[in-house]
Amino acid sequence: MRTLKLSRAFTLIEPGPVVLVTTRDRGRDNVMTISWTMVVDFTPVFAITTGAWNHSYAALRRTRECVLAIPTVDLLDTVVGIGTCSGADTDKFARFGLTPRRGRVVAAPLIAECVANVECRVIDMVKRHDIVVLQGVAAHVDPRRRERRTIHAIGDGTFVVDGRRLDRRKAMASKLPTGL
Ligand SMILES: Cc1cc2nc3c(=O)[nH]c(=O)nc-3n(C[C@H](O)[C@H](O)[C@H](O)COP(=O)(O)O)c2cc1C
């Protein structure tokens, strides 16, 4: 994984891909699937929707850290598998053959098989709406990965995959952060 400028990390989440959220609590790695995500600001700040019904939630609350890992379409069945079993009774890194890698800042692992990883700190938990707010603190990309198309959940068990990239950078210049 190569370091990605933190100021670019929001561009990984803005397209709305399904993400994997890793945690490390009391010496055990875990990972869950999340499709309800949002970019909150460029620094970057993100929000995810999850709550106490997931094993990961206790880890997020206790450690105040996680990694947002971005899977590509070749990992679709793994992503669905991760999101349909629980770390309460399953070592998902072993079960799905995921390779944990050390990050730079947080103890939660990066996933080597993912195209990008963003290390995050939990900065707020909005209980009323089950929203967890995350500050990105370091970002990494795998520039050698050939498959780079991310997965987007419809919400009914079907998914769409990235298509063509369309360039409107000139028209949007007034709304883009400088140097992006
Ligand atoms: C495609 C997909 C998307 C999901 N999105 C979310 C989500 O946005 N929020 C959430 O709380 N759970 C979501 N889930 C469910 C969790 O990933 C699932 O409950 C998982 O088993 C939690 O793992 P854990 O108990 O180890 O934390 C999703 C599952 C799948 C398959």
Side-chain angles (χ1 to χ4, degrees), residues 78-120:
T78 298
V79 165
V80 171
I82 288 168
T84 50
C85 68
S86 179
D89 53 27
T90 306
D91 176 348
K92 295 196 219 178
F93 274 81
R95 173 157 172 192
F96 296 103
L98 302 174
T99 312
R101 286 271 157 76
R102 262 191 168 285
R104 266 199 306 120
V105 182
V106 306
L110 315 182
I111 300 178
E113 287 76 15
C114 285
V115 68
N117 287 267
V118 185
E119 299 179 54
C120 295

Side-chain angles (χ1 to χ4, degrees), residues 117-152:
N117 287 267
V118 185
E119 299 179 54
C120 295
R121 288 218 168 90
V122 173
I123 55 171
D124 203 358
M125 294 182 113
V126 185
K127 194 102 191 39
R128 185 177 162 87
H129 298 290
D130 296 310
I131 292 170
V132 179
V133 185
L134 305 171
Q135 176 75 61
V137 290
H140 314 263
V141 283
D142 181 354
R144 289 167 313 173
R145 206 171 200 296
R146 297 186 60 181
E147 179 58 82
R148 307 189 74 81
R149 291 171 302 159
T150 58
I151 308 160
H152 307 267

Side-chain angles (χ1 to χ4, degrees), residues 18 30-36 49-51 53-57 79-80 82-88 92 153 159:
V18 176
N30 191 28
V31 55
M32 71 177 294
T33 302
I34 291 259
S35 51
W36 289 359
T49 304
T50 192
W53 58 90
N54 290 310
H55 188 64
S56 303
Y57 187 76
V79 165
V80 171
I82 288 168
T84 50
C85 68
S86 179
K92 295 196 219 178
F159 298 84

Side-chain angles (χ1 to χ4, degrees), residues 144-170:
R144 289 167 313 173
R145 206 171 200 296
R146 297 186 60 181
E147 179 58 82
R148 307 189 74 81
R149 291 171 302 159
T150 58
I151 308 160
H152 307 267
I154 302 298
D156 61 357
T158 66
F159 298 84
V160 293
V161 177
D162 285 344
R164 259 188 330 135
R165 185 184 282 223
L166 309 171
D167 187 343
R168 295 293 182 276
R169 289 171 66 83
K170 270 198 193 130

